[in-house]
Amino acid sequence: MALSSHVPELGALELLLAVARLGSVGRAAAELGVSQPTASARIKGMERQIGVPLLDRSPRGSRPTEAGRLVVEWARQVVEAAQALDAGIDALRERRDAKLRVVASLTVAEYLMPGWLLALSQASPGTAVTLRTANSAEVAGHVLAGEADLGFVEGPSTPPGLAGAVVSTDRLVVVVAPGHRWARRRTPLTGAELAATPLVLREPGSGTREVLETALTPYGGAARPWLELASSTALKAAAMTGAGPVCLSELAVVEELATRRLVEVPLAEELDLRRPLRAVWPAGRRPSGPARELLVLTRRNAGLQKRAAAGKG
């Protein structure tokens, strides 16, 4: 039996589900890699097609109407069935000698990717993986150019032209050598103090640099860096030799903090240096084959991290 003209397309149903989950058309548009006007127009078109209003809109966001909640539940079943069909087709098409091209930011490549790729090799022993490293801006460029099947970036948002999913979280820390005056500091470092201090930083285009500069914008922006380096290893070495305060990923300094080769400087609560780590791919093109499998593994790992954090709380 042919479907009636009132049944929306799959992409519109996915958008509706994202709005219901996130509470905002804008946030749903960002997650799916489309503009907010495009997303709003698609929702309004779906409402005209179905013949009922689906969202209550307010300055605080959007939530499903009573009819919209019913459509959301039906849409969820349709999208889950489509995803199962998609996965099945991928399995049929996948070859035993499957290849996967991955490009990742340095933090993800050094501290998270080894575990993910080990899990992938256990799940799909025949998959050959090529891994490249770059800063987050370069990762986005490689994925957009079709030079990688899946990318991993750091930063507050999904790069333009890409769709993405948060697969882990990270926190930036400020560290110094044990002999630095900040190593004995007892009062938290304020945003204004950090903004006024020349730091040893990653190069422009890195996710670490972007997150820090965004956090320091309310304080007049970050001071000109004392030194710019292109890797976490180089940053740590500079800090340990006393070059000055360094801002980098907490993942990168676990061992150095435990052995007191570096000391973490306490920061005021006003400074939020947490950041999401995202998998990214071209907007409108779903990851398939080994890329899809790796994405599933990373998202499963993110779920385990959240449950572990909740247990600690």
Side-chain angles (χ1 to χ4, degrees):
M1 181 180 72
L3 295 175
S4 79
S5 60
H6 301 300
V7 178
E9 64 176 10
L10 187 61
L13 295 179
E14 288 184 301
L15 174 61
L16 178 63
L17 291 178
V19 175
R21 175 167 47 85
L22 298 171
S24 162
V25 174
R27 287 195 289 270
E31 180 174 279
L32 297 177
V34 299
S35 68
Q36 182 166 345
T38 297
S40 297
R42 186 173 293 181
I43 291 290
K44 290 177 182 176
M46 185 164 42
E47 290 177 320
R48 289 193 298 269
Q49 184 180 7
I50 294 175
V52 296
L54 299 174
L55 296 177
D56 281 329
R57 300 165 175 85
S58 74
R60 295 187 300 273
S62 299
R63 62 180 183 179
T65 61
E66 183 176 350
R69 286 194 291 272
L70 287 173
V71 175
V72 165
E73 288 306 311
W74 297 331
R76 183 173 289 111
Q77 298 174 43
V78 172
V79 171
E80 288 176 353
Q83 289 172 340
L85 174 62
D86 190 19
I89 291 172
D90 279 345
L92 289 174
R93 293 169 57 92
E94 196 172 300
R95 300 177 304 173
R96 292 192 62 181
D97 60 343
K99 296 180 180 179
L100 174 62
R101 300 170 301 163
V102 179
V103 58
S105 68
L106 293 177
T107 298
V108 175
E110 286 187 60
Y111 303 104
L112 295 174
M113 192 60 68
W116 293 344
L117 293 184
L118 176 61
L120 180 64
S121 70
Q122 293 170 342
S124 298
T127 301
V129 180
T130 301
L131 173 63
R132 299 172 62 181
T133 60
N135 66 39
S136 291
E138 293 166 343
V139 169
H142 289 309
V143 175
L144 285 169
E147 298 167 355
D149 305 305
L150 199 61
F152 292 88
V153 298
E154 312 152 19
S157 60
T158 303
L162 300 177
V166 174
V167 296
S168 189
T169 55
D170 185 24
R171 181 175 70 98
L172 300 184
V173 293
V174 175
V175 296
V176 294
H180 192 278
R181 58 187 176 86
W182 282 1
R184 298 177 295 280
R185 188 182 179 106
R186 293 294 175 263
T187 58
L189 192 67
T190 67
E193 287 178 293
L194 187 60
T197 303
L199 304 173
V200 181
L201 295 177
R202 286 284 308 278
E203 77 287 0
S206 75
T208 299
R209 179 77 168 261
E210 180 185 5
V211 170
L212 178 66
E213 290 180 341
T214 298
L216 295 182
T217 297
Y219 309 100
R224 183 186 296 275
W226 175 254
L227 188 63
E228 293 179 345
L229 299 170
S231 73
S232 296
T233 301
L235 288 175
K236 290 189 291 185
M240 286 187 285
T241 58
V246 169
C247 182
L248 76 174
S249 167
E250 183 179 36
L251 295 170
V253 290
V254 172
E255 182 180 346
E256 287 78 12
L257 293 177
T259 57
R260 295 286 298 176
R261 286 179 288 169
L262 289 173
V263 177
E264 180 179 351
V265 182
L267 300 179
E269 291 185 2
E270 67 195 39
L271 283 169
D272 185 4
L273 297 184
R274 293 170 298 176
R275 60 177 178 174
L277 304 177
R278 302 172 192 270
V280 295
W281 56 90
R285 189 188 314 162
R286 298 166 178 268
S288 61
R292 180 190 181 95
E293 191 166 3
L294 179 59
L295 179 60
V296 168
L297 288 170
T298 59
R299 296 178 84 170
R300 185 181 302 155
N301 179 74
L304 292 174
Q305 284 186 326
K306 287 181 180 178
R307 287 194 288 274
K312 291 178 182 177

